[in-house]
Amino acid sequence: MSNRRQFVLKSLIGALGLSSSAFSCESTPEADSDNKREFKGPVILTTWNHQETNAIALNVLKENGSVLDAVESAIRKVEADPNDSSVGYGGRPDREGVVSLDACIMNKAGEAGSVCFVRDIMHPITVARMVMEKTPHVILAGQGAKQFALENGMKARNLLTDASINSYKEWLKKSEYKTIINIENHDTIGLLAIDESQDMAGGCSTSGMAYKYHGRVGDSPIIGAGLYVDNEIGSATATGVGEMVLRTLGSFLVVELMRGGLDPYQACKEAVHRIVNKYDCKDTQVGYVALNKYGEAGAYSIHPGFIYTCSTPHKNEVLKSESYFK
Ligand code: ASP
């Protein structure tokens, strides 16, 4: 086991038990006597604190659901949560008070589906999956995406909650658009999954930046920006200021860096460096998480404060990402 590498979770922090780590969970990179890495079973990796969400995904796998079902079911739970102010129902509206949602999904075959600027539909991740599975297209936008959802049995509903209306009214008093690092306007759920057979899928869903321009589309529904899955190599997803991720095609970049030999942590770090080397990121947060074919996980962000959740059948941990700025 000369190449055996061990990555140990470091520094338990605070009541949440946050830890800082280049790699996470038990699916750490190891090699057997043939220098082949050992795959240790399913892993679910999400942006931010999503222990319950990951448990749902693992349960789907346990019940012999597909890795794609695991991704969709877990993200649906977040979309339906009125207390999550950045995804689905209860997501913060744009500057005109309208909630518009972005989501995408990719399967193990590299097929993709996406919806952007979709209104009045609680589960854009399911619409994205239907775009992938029932149409010859990858992206449906706006009214067309809504019409497609309704034609396929989904119900229209108001996505505003009392809390989101109140915070919008508060925002209207000054009507300032300003990105704030790590608060709830940066809370895309990005979820990457690998199952027992080492097949991967991923998805992400968001209401986008709070109080964005009406019509704005972020990185999350753009394949290669907010999410990318290559079943032979690995997968990546992003959260934070989508414009930075779009400009650098971040998730595709992370996967390509893994293809070139970097581990998930190094790949996320390099993708963050590509952003900070070119743009002023003083007030801009971006966080990446990545999972490779061996179930090894990694993350990196521009600023401190980005956390992510890595779960296996044996562990369900919220971890603190390392960051460019300390
Ligand atoms: N990346 C998302 C977007 O720009 C927002 C977020 O992650 O908070 O729409």
Side-chain angles (χ1 to χ4, degrees), residues 139-172:
I139 306 180
L140 291 183
Q143 188 56 31
K146 177 174 171 181
Q147 187 185 320
F148 173 75
L150 297 176
E151 284 167 5
N152 282 279
M154 304 191 85
K155 299 268 176 287
R157 63 161 301 157
N158 181 0
L159 299 176
L160 288 165
T161 58
D162 288 347
S164 65
I165 291 168
N166 288 340
S167 77
Y168 175 61
K169 284 184 182 156
E170 205 46 48
W171 177 81
L172 276 179

Side-chain angles (χ1 to χ4, degrees), residues 58-294:
L58 283 168
N59 201 44
V60 171
L61 295 180
K62 194 170 148 213
E63 303 287 321
N64 295 319
S66 71
V67 68
L68 193 67
D69 290 340
V71 169
E72 183 193 1
S73 306
I75 292 178
R76 281 177 65 95
K77 176 243 160 207
V78 185
E79 291 175 336
D81 180 356
N83 298 317
D84 191 315
S85 57
S86 307
V87 179
Y89 179 51
R92 294 289 180 260
D94 63 21
R95 56 184 53 206
E96 290 176 26
V98 176
V99 180
S100 68
L101 305 177
D102 295 338
C104 76
I105 197 161
M106 283 189 83
N107 67 13
K108 63 184 179 185
E111 294 163 343
S114 155
V115 288
C116 57
F117 191 55
V118 63
R119 292 161 57 171
D120 306 322
I121 300 291
M122 195 193 288
H123 292 299
I125 194 70
T126 297
V127 192
R129 181 171 177 174
M130 290 193 299
V131 171
M132 177 173 77
E133 292 179 342
K134 295 183 179 212
T135 81
H137 307 305
V138 171
I139 306 180
L140 291 183
Q143 188 56 31
K146 177 174 171 181
Q147 187 185 320
F148 173 75
L150 297 176
E151 284 167 5
N152 282 279
M154 304 191 85
K155 299 268 176 287
R157 63 161 301 157
N158 181 0
L159 299 176
L160 288 165
T161 58
D162 288 347
S164 65
I165 291 168
N166 288 340
S167 77
Y168 175 61
K169 284 184 182 156
E170 205 46 48
W171 177 81
L172 276 179
K173 288 180 187 163
K174 287 194 181 160
S175 303
E176 270 175 6
Y177 182 74
K178 186 158 116 230
T179 61
I180 302 172
I181 293 169
N182 296 326
I183 68 158
E184 68 283 357
N185 64 352
H186 293 272
D187 266 350
T188 295
I189 165 90
L191 189 150
L192 309 173
I194 186 164
D195 68 12
E196 200 75 50
S197 320
Q198 275 179 283
D199 282 325
M200 308 186 92
C204 61
S205 183
T206 188
S207 50
M209 309 296 286
Y211 319 125
K212 61 195 175 184
Y213 275 81
H214 186 65
R216 181 259 190 190
V217 170
D219 60 310
S220 304
I222 305 302
I223 304 300
L227 175 81
Y228 198 69
V229 178
D230 182 329
N231 203 41
E232 287 182 8
I233 303 296
S235 55
T237 187
T239 183
V241 177
E243 283 68 11
M244 293 296 183
V245 179
L246 281 164
R247 285 173 187 141
T248 52
L249 212 54
S251 294
F252 182 71
L253 174 61
V254 171
V255 172
E256 289 305 301
L257 289 165
M258 291 195 288
R259 191 191 308 278
L262 296 191
D263 64 45
Y265 163 75
Q266 291 165 337
C268 292
K269 187 173 178 180
E270 173 59 22
V272 162
H273 283 190
R274 299 276 178 105
I275 298 173
V276 294
N277 289 343
K278 211 180 235 178
Y279 308 102
D280 175 8
C281 293
K282 191 166 53 70
D283 298 317
T284 301
Q285 176 67 303
V286 167
Y288 289 113
V289 295
L291 191 60
N292 69 13
K293 191 67 180 167
Y294 308 101

